[in-house]
Amino acid sequence: MAEVRLENITKDFGRVRALEGLSFHIEDGEFFVLLGPTGAGKTTTLRTVAGLERPAAGRVLLGGEDATGWSPAQRDVAFVFQQYSLYPHLTVFENLAFPLRAPGKKLGAREIRRRVEEVAAKLRIESKLDNKATALSGGEMQRVSLGRALVREPACFLMDEPLSSLDAKLREGLRVELKHLQVELGATILYVTHDQVEAMTLADRVGVLVGGHLQQVGPPEEVYEYPDNLEVAQQMGHLPLNLFPVEEEAVRARGIDRIGVRAEHLRVLPEEQAGPDDLRAEVLRVERLGAEEVAFLRVGNRRLYAMGEEHGRFPDAGEVAVRVETDDSLAFDPSGRRLDRDPGGRGEAPPGGESPADAARRMARGLRD
Ligand SMILES: Nc1ncnc2c1ncn2[C@@H]1O[C@H](COP(=O)(O)OP(=O)(O)O)[C@@H](O)[C@H]1O
Ligand SMILES: [Mg+2]
């Protein structure tokens, strides 16, 4: 396995700048997830590391060596695509053995069999080795795709949304297995996805890519809790971020333009427990997901999202009181940059409101107290 380093990569497609000044590194044995919406430049980043795209500027280093001019074959990286690209007329065994039969590999039949069987066992497809690739389920096909990367024992794996074409249950199962496998093998993985759950659960570190710009890099919990800006905060949540514009001058004077509150930090209370500073919201819909519940709320013309981990926490309809758990709110300046919470100011960050003006009034009160 090897360290991967991108330095100041810029890539244009005609007039479209897909990547701009992209720099990050992946440590040997690290699971690095690049998270971003469609069109962010994720696939272009992977293709650049693989040598399938030439950057207009910048360098790619593999294992400390400048690989920018190397051909894909020289790079010793294995690509796993979103769509499994198996040879349908070959058996699972032959699909797995294929990369080992490449010219220049010169492996004996016994060594090929040993590696294929070892990988098949790891991926729990050993009973399918004689099946035609077309006689597999989607999950099995994606295991074979992973297996074809694994048998090569490459310096680094590049994975382009490899789970996104699977249904939810398979996706979760394979996600857990992939993480196990990576730890067991000590594999270096650059994994790209638009799915923040995958980023949170798989990554040692996550990089958030928006519009070809790397916004922030760090351990997923840290990026989630301390996003540098609004775009990162919105990428990292699994529900939309509740955003309250600020109009009150006293608050704006502190540079605060918007307040963001995550769904799990909005407390929903029965009407009789409401305090004077709590919002009144109408419950539009409650989704009960077993272990957690999500409430879709409306305050005036504003939509709010609340999440709770207790069963039966939210009433299905009617009015509720909503309280902002203030210490976890995020304050943003007009450019979208997150402002630091006041030092030692737990509980000092301002709550939201049913209208921007009311929100700001309450926040101002909290800030003055
Ligand atoms: N071969 C190409 N030709 C022209 N434009 C491209 C090409 N590949 C990617 N792009 C453009 O580059 C940007 C980034 O694309 P891509 O890397 O595929 O994003 P992602 O994988 O994050 O969805 C997009 O605007 C896309 O339209
Ligand atoms: Mg892509």
Side-chain angles (χ1 to χ4, degrees):
M1 292 292 148
E3 183 209 35
V4 178
R5 190 174 287 275
L6 280 77
E7 287 181 358
N8 238 338
I9 297 287
T10 294
K11 174 72 191 172
D12 300 310
F13 293 105
R15 288 202 189 140
V16 176
R17 174 143 291 185
L19 300 174
E20 167 115 36
L22 184 66
S23 298
F24 65 93
H25 79 280
I26 307 165
E27 281 167 33
D28 188 13
E30 186 176 32
F31 203 131
F32 190 97
V33 175
L34 204 53
L35 173 72
T38 302
K42 304 184 297 296
T43 297
T44 304
T45 304
L46 288 186
R47 289 176 56 82
T48 303
V49 176
L52 301 168
E53 301 288 355
R54 282 289 160 94
R59 301 200 302 167
V60 176
L61 288 94
L62 297 174
E65 286 187 75
D66 188 346
T68 320
W70 296 1
S71 72
Q74 287 171 300
R75 295 193 184 205
D76 195 21
V77 298
F79 215 123
V80 181
F81 299 93
Q82 176 174 353
Q83 290 301 334
Y84 12 90
S85 48
L86 304 181
Y87 299 105
H89 57 289
L90 297 182
T91 62
V92 170
F93 183 95
E94 286 304 323
N95 267 283
L96 291 172
F98 198 88
L100 300 176
R101 300 212 161 110
K105 282 271 184 200
K106 299 196 182 77
L107 293 175
R110 188 176 298 175
E111 175 63 9
I112 289 176
R113 175 157 291 276
R114 189 191 66 76
R115 283 217 215 167
V116 167
E117 285 177 351
E118 188 181 302
V119 164
K122 282 207 171 77
L123 291 167
R124 297 193 288 108
I125 45 175
E126 59 276 54
S127 65
K128 309 282 178 181
L129 284 172
D130 296 327
N131 285 33
K132 281 270 164 53
T134 43
L136 299 174
S137 68
E140 288 163 349
M141 284 198 217
Q142 198 52 302
R143 282 167 202 274
V144 177
S145 298
L146 281 174
R148 290 211 313 182
L150 290 174
V151 287
R152 289 182 45 192
E153 301 175 1
C156 146
F157 294 93
L158 306 174
M159 302 193 179
D160 196 351
E161 316 214 20
L163 306 183
S164 62
S165 56
L166 304 177
D167 66 52
K169 242 204 190 106
L170 274 176
R171 192 160 63 226
E172 277 164 33
L174 203 46
R175 189 177 78 213
V176 172
E177 284 179 44
L178 181 60
K179 183 65 191 177
H180 270 298
L181 211 55
Q182 182 263 339
V183 172
E184 185 188 321
L185 299 173
T188 308
I189 300 184
L190 172 54
Y191 184 107
V192 311
T193 182
H194 66 275
D195 180 341
Q196 68 91 32
V197 175
E198 290 182 6
M200 293 298 291
T201 53
L202 290 170
D204 294 316
R205 285 185 308 147
V206 62
V208 180
L209 188 70
V210 179
H213 290 265
L214 192 60
Q215 307 280 329
Q216 188 173 355
V217 176
E221 312 79 35
E222 187 185 303
V223 176
Y224 182 82
E225 197 171 352
Y226 303 102
D228 283 347
N229 61 46
L230 194 50
E231 273 171 331
V232 172
Q234 286 170 325
Q235 280 303 312
M236 288 301 283
H238 118 95
L239 286 167
L241 182 69
N242 296 304
L243 262 187
F244 301 96
V246 173
E247 286 178 354
E248 182 84 2
E249 273 313 313
V251 182
R252 295 196 64 86
R254 301 175 62 124
I256 301 175
D257 181 63
R258 276 162 293 183
I259 299 289
V261 180
R262 296 223 185 260
E264 65 270 30
H265 298 140
L266 272 191
R267 272 187 65 195
V268 174
L269 305 165
E271 187 60 31
E272 58 275 16
Q273 287 177 29
D277 278 353
D278 293 334
L279 312 178
R280 297 301 190 288
E282 180 194 347
V283 179
L284 297 177
R285 191 159 57 96
V286 175
E287 289 185 348
R288 303 192 197 284
L289 307 170
E292 61 181 36
E293 298 186 337
V294 178
F296 299 81
L297 309 169
R298 182 166 65 193
V299 179
N301 59 6
R302 183 174 302 281
R303 291 294 170 92
L304 297 179
Y305 305 85
M307 196 169 81
E309 283 177 3
E310 285 160 47
H311 193 67
R313 182 172 164 182
F314 303 131
D316 284 309
E319 282 247 309
V320 288
V322 174
R323 186 173 299 169
V324 176
E325 309 224 280
T326 52
D327 26 344
D328 289 307
S329 62
L330 304 165
F332 299 100
D333 77 5
S335 73
R337 195 170 55 90
R338 185 178 62 80
L339 299 164
D340 266 338
R341 290 164 194 153
D342 284 354
R346 289 193 83 72
E348 206 177 337
E354 64 266 51
S355 73
D358 286 342
R361 222 165 282 131
R362 250 184 302 280
M363 286 186 300
R365 201 181 304 146
L367 287 167
R368 278 196 300 269
D369 286 349

